[in-house]
Amino acid sequence: MGALRPDIGPAVEAALRSVAAHPRLSGKVALVGMAFGGFLALRAAASVPTLAGVVSINGFFDLGGFWDALPQVYRDNMRFSLGGADVRERADRFTLARCPPPTIRALILHGGRDKIFSPSEAVKCADICVRGAELHVFEDGNHVCNNIPWLYRPLVADWVAERLGA
């Protein structure tokens, strides 16, 4: 399988081709990612303009920018996930600052009490979305808002359903 890569777009495009070939599906797809997946979803949305929308839940804007502030257990996890001899150098590649911005509608959600990725990362993510982003920072939410699923999950479901024309 290998280490995580920031250039997720080609993998998402391959998955979309597979979905498009299914006769019982509409071909409309919205991408939803949580935590590191929230970053990857936004990164993919920059290179896959056919997506109906993108949702980032407690994602981040620039992993290298706050690397030193991450809890040690998270940095240890990233050493495995990012691979390579210089994990800090690899972390610096996971940024939205030096890539094209998402060109589709976005929903950005974040927990105000997230101790891993600061809510300020969500604001930066929303700010770069070309077609705008709906930003919600849930004051009492923790990392990926796991403590308040009844607040954010219906919002995500309704937002995605609207994008898909359901």
Side-chain angles (χ1 to χ4, degrees), residues 5-6 13 31-32 34 48 56 69 74 86 90 98 135 144:
R5 297 171 36 168
E13 287 175 328
L31 199 55
V32 179
M34 299 176 82
V48 185
S56 175
Y74 199 83
D86 186 350
R90 295 268 306 150
R98 296 181 298 277
L135 173 64
V144 295

PDB file of all heavy atoms in Angstrom, residues 5-6 13 31-32 34 48 56 69 74 86 90 98 135 144:
ATOM      1  N   ARG A   5      -0.019   9.956   0.247  1.00  0.00           N
ATOM      2  CA  ARG A   5       0.481  10.930  -0.722  1.00  0.00           C
ATOM      3  C   ARG A   5      -0.501  12.082  -0.814  1.00  0.00           C
ATOM      4  O   ARG A   5      -1.713  11.863  -0.759  1.00  0.00           O
ATOM      5  CB  ARG A   5       0.606  10.275  -2.103  1.00  0.00           C
ATOM      6  CG  ARG A   5       1.589   9.153  -2.150  1.00  0.00           C
ATOM      7  CD  ARG A   5       1.537   8.400  -3.459  1.00  0.00           C
ATOM      8  NE  ARG A   5       1.266   9.261  -4.609  1.00  0.00           N
ATOM      9  CZ  ARG A   5       1.401   8.888  -5.861  1.00  0.00           C
ATOM     10  NH1 ARG A   5       1.776   7.664  -6.131  1.00  0.00           N
ATOM     11  NH2 ARG A   5       1.138   9.701  -6.841  1.00  0.00           N
ATOM     12  N   PRO A   6       0.002  13.298  -0.978  1.00  0.00           N
ATOM     13  CA  PRO A   6      -0.915  14.437  -1.076  1.00  0.00           C
ATOM     14  C   PRO A   6      -1.662  14.510  -2.406  1.00  0.00           C
ATOM     15  O   PRO A   6      -2.726  15.100  -2.483  1.00  0.00           O
ATOM     16  CB  PRO A   6      -0.001  15.650  -0.887  1.00  0.00           C
ATOM     17  CG  PRO A   6       1.364  15.177  -1.244  1.00  0.00           C
ATOM     18  CD  PRO A   6       1.403  13.709  -0.938  1.00  0.00           C
ATOM     19  N   GLU A  13     -10.304  10.179  -9.137  1.00  0.00           N
ATOM     20  CA  GLU A  13     -10.801  10.099 -10.516  1.00  0.00           C
ATOM     21  C   GLU A  13     -11.021   8.648 -10.934  1.00  0.00           C
ATOM     22  O   GLU A  13     -12.010   8.330 -11.599  1.00  0.00           O
ATOM     23  CB  GLU A  13      -9.845  10.801 -11.465  1.00  0.00           C
ATOM     24  CG  GLU A  13      -9.902  12.311 -11.339  1.00  0.00           C
ATOM     25  CD  GLU A  13      -8.868  13.021 -12.199  1.00  0.00           C
ATOM     26  OE1 GLU A  13      -7.769  12.465 -12.409  1.00  0.00           O
ATOM     27  OE2 GLU A  13      -9.168  14.146 -12.640  1.00  0.00           O
ATOM     28  N   LEU A  31     -17.730  14.177  -2.124  1.00  0.00           N
ATOM     29  CA  LEU A  31     -16.640  13.588  -1.356  1.00  0.00           C
ATOM     30  C   LEU A  31     -16.701  14.103   0.073  1.00  0.00           C
ATOM     31  O   LEU A  31     -16.833  15.310   0.291  1.00  0.00           O
ATOM     32  CB  LEU A  31     -15.324  13.987  -2.020  1.00  0.00           C
ATOM     33  CG  LEU A  31     -14.075  13.203  -1.722  1.00  0.00           C
ATOM     34  CD1 LEU A  31     -14.261  11.728  -2.008  1.00  0.00           C
ATOM     35  CD2 LEU A  31     -12.922  13.757  -2.553  1.00  0.00           C
ATOM     36  N   VAL A  32     -16.627  13.194   1.051  1.00  0.00           N
ATOM     37  CA  VAL A  32     -16.646  13.556   2.468  1.00  0.00           C
ATOM     38  C   VAL A  32     -15.414  12.951   3.120  1.00  0.00           C
ATOM     39  O   VAL A  32     -15.140  11.762   2.955  1.00  0.00           O
ATOM     40  CB  VAL A  32     -17.914  13.018   3.176  1.00  0.00           C
ATOM     41  CG1 VAL A  32     -17.904  13.384   4.650  1.00  0.00           C
ATOM     42  CG2 VAL A  32     -19.173  13.547   2.492  1.00  0.00           C
ATOM     43  N   MET A  34     -12.880  13.021   6.867  1.00  0.00           N
ATOM     44  CA  MET A  34     -12.752  13.412   8.269  1.00  0.00           C
ATOM     45  C   MET A  34     -11.276  13.431   8.653  1.00  0.00           C
ATOM     46  O   MET A  34     -10.529  12.519   8.277  1.00  0.00           O
ATOM     47  CB  MET A  34     -13.483  12.424   9.167  1.00  0.00           C
ATOM     48  CG  MET A  34     -14.977  12.353   8.885  1.00  0.00           C
ATOM     49  SD  MET A  34     -15.785  11.097   9.872  1.00  0.00           S
ATOM     50  CE  MET A  34     -15.991  11.989  11.392  1.00  0.00           C
ATOM     51  N   VAL A  48     -10.487  17.525  -9.208  1.00  0.00           N
ATOM     52  CA  VAL A  48     -11.594  16.733  -9.734  1.00  0.00           C
ATOM     53  C   VAL A  48     -12.845  17.615  -9.759  1.00  0.00           C
ATOM     54  O   VAL A  48     -13.693  17.544  -8.876  1.00  0.00           O
ATOM     55  CB  VAL A  48     -11.832  15.458  -8.889  1.00  0.00           C
ATOM     56  CG1 VAL A  48     -12.899  14.591  -9.538  1.00  0.00           C
ATOM     57  CG2 VAL A  48     -10.544  14.677  -8.698  1.00  0.00           C
ATOM     58  N   SER A  56     -15.364  18.663   4.349  1.00  0.00           N
ATOM     59  CA  SER A  56     -14.177  18.431   5.175  1.00  0.00           C
ATOM     60  C   SER A  56     -14.593  18.587   6.629  1.00  0.00           C
ATOM     61  O   SER A  56     -15.045  19.653   7.041  1.00  0.00           O
ATOM     62  CB  SER A  56     -13.070  19.435   4.824  1.00  0.00           C
ATOM     63  OG  SER A  56     -11.973  19.279   5.697  1.00  0.00           O
ATOM     64  N   ALA A  69       3.383  21.529  17.052  1.00  0.00           N
ATOM     65  CA  ALA A  69       2.355  21.649  18.088  1.00  0.00           C
ATOM     66  C   ALA A  69       1.501  20.384  18.220  1.00  0.00           C
ATOM     67  O   ALA A  69       0.712  20.274  19.160  1.00  0.00           O
ATOM     68  CB  ALA A  69       1.451  22.850  17.791  1.00  0.00           C
ATOM     69  N   TYR A  74       0.294  11.705  17.962  1.00  0.00           N
ATOM     70  CA  TYR A  74      -0.134  11.935  16.588  1.00  0.00           C
ATOM     71  C   TYR A  74       1.076  11.990  15.654  1.00  0.00           C
ATOM     72  O   TYR A  74       1.058  11.434  14.560  1.00  0.00           O
ATOM     73  CB  TYR A  74      -0.959  13.225  16.481  1.00  0.00           C
ATOM     74  CG  TYR A  74      -1.793  13.265  15.233  1.00  0.00           C
ATOM     75  CD1 TYR A  74      -3.032  12.632  15.182  1.00  0.00           C
ATOM     76  CD2 TYR A  74      -1.330  13.887  14.082  1.00  0.00           C
ATOM     77  CE1 TYR A  74      -3.784  12.628  14.020  1.00  0.00           C
ATOM     78  CE2 TYR A  74      -2.086  13.893  12.922  1.00  0.00           C
ATOM     79  CZ  TYR A  74      -3.311  13.261  12.904  1.00  0.00           C
ATOM     80  OH  TYR A  74      -4.045  13.247  11.753  1.00  0.00           O
ATOM     81  N   ASP A  86      12.553  11.400   6.501  1.00  0.00           N
ATOM     82  CA  ASP A  86      12.328  12.723   7.097  1.00  0.00           C
ATOM     83  C   ASP A  86      10.831  13.006   7.129  1.00  0.00           C
ATOM     84  O   ASP A  86      10.274  13.586   6.194  1.00  0.00           O
ATOM     85  CB  ASP A  86      13.061  13.790   6.295  1.00  0.00           C
ATOM     86  CG  ASP A  86      12.993  15.165   6.940  1.00  0.00           C
ATOM     87  OD1 ASP A  86      12.225  15.348   7.921  1.00  0.00           O
ATOM     88  OD2 ASP A  86      13.700  16.069   6.463  1.00  0.00           O
ATOM     89  N   ARG A  90       8.125  15.323   4.812  1.00  0.00           N
ATOM     90  CA  ARG A  90       6.927  14.744   4.195  1.00  0.00           C
ATOM     91  C   ARG A  90       5.675  15.486   4.655  1.00  0.00           C
ATOM     92  O   ARG A  90       4.780  15.748   3.870  1.00  0.00           O
ATOM     93  CB  ARG A  90       6.802  13.253   4.549  1.00  0.00           C
ATOM     94  CG  ARG A  90       7.887  12.381   4.006  1.00  0.00           C
ATOM     95  CD  ARG A  90       7.601  11.760   2.681  1.00  0.00           C
ATOM     96  NE  ARG A  90       6.348  11.030   2.697  1.00  0.00           N
ATOM     97  CZ  ARG A  90       5.586  10.879   1.620  1.00  0.00           C
ATOM     98  NH1 ARG A  90       5.953  11.378   0.476  1.00  0.00           N
ATOM     99  NH2 ARG A  90       4.448  10.230   1.692  1.00  0.00           N
ATOM    100  N   ARG A  98       0.073  25.525  -1.494  1.00  0.00           N
ATOM    101  CA  ARG A  98       0.822  25.544  -2.755  1.00  0.00           C
ATOM    102  C   ARG A  98       0.188  24.668  -3.835  1.00  0.00           C
ATOM    103  O   ARG A  98       0.880  24.126  -4.683  1.00  0.00           O
ATOM    104  CB  ARG A  98       2.257  25.101  -2.496  1.00  0.00           C
ATOM    105  CG  ARG A  98       3.014  26.064  -1.590  1.00  0.00           C
ATOM    106  CD  ARG A  98       4.456  25.648  -1.351  1.00  0.00           C
ATOM    107  NE  ARG A  98       4.611  24.359  -0.682  1.00  0.00           N
ATOM    108  CZ  ARG A  98       4.537  24.176   0.634  1.00  0.00           C
ATOM    109  NH1 ARG A  98       4.300  25.200   1.415  1.00  0.00           N
ATOM    110  NH2 ARG A  98       4.703  22.979   1.155  1.00  0.00           N
ATOM    111  N   LEU A 135     -19.070  27.312   6.363  1.00  0.00           N
ATOM    112  CA  LEU A 135     -18.199  26.969   7.487  1.00  0.00           C
ATOM    113  C   LEU A 135     -19.000  26.905   8.778  1.00  0.00           C
ATOM    114  O   LEU A 135     -19.747  27.828   9.096  1.00  0.00           O
ATOM    115  CB  LEU A 135     -17.086  28.008   7.619  1.00  0.00           C
ATOM    116  CG  LEU A 135     -16.180  27.908   8.845  1.00  0.00           C
ATOM    117  CD1 LEU A 135     -15.376  26.620   8.834  1.00  0.00           C
ATOM    118  CD2 LEU A 135     -15.260  29.117   8.904  1.00  0.00           C
ATOM    119  N   VAL A 144     -12.985  15.666  15.111  1.00  0.00           N
ATOM    120  CA  VAL A 144     -13.991  15.130  14.191  1.00  0.00           C
ATOM    121  C   VAL A 144     -15.393  15.116  14.789  1.00  0.00           C
ATOM    122  O   VAL A 144     -16.257  14.371  14.337  1.00  0.00           O
ATOM    123  CB  VAL A 144     -13.616  13.760  13.564  1.00  0.00           C
ATOM    124  CG1 VAL A 144     -12.406  13.885  12.677  1.00  0.00           C
ATOM    125  CG2 VAL A 144     -13.429  12.669  14.567  1.00  0.00           C
TER     126      VAL A 144
END
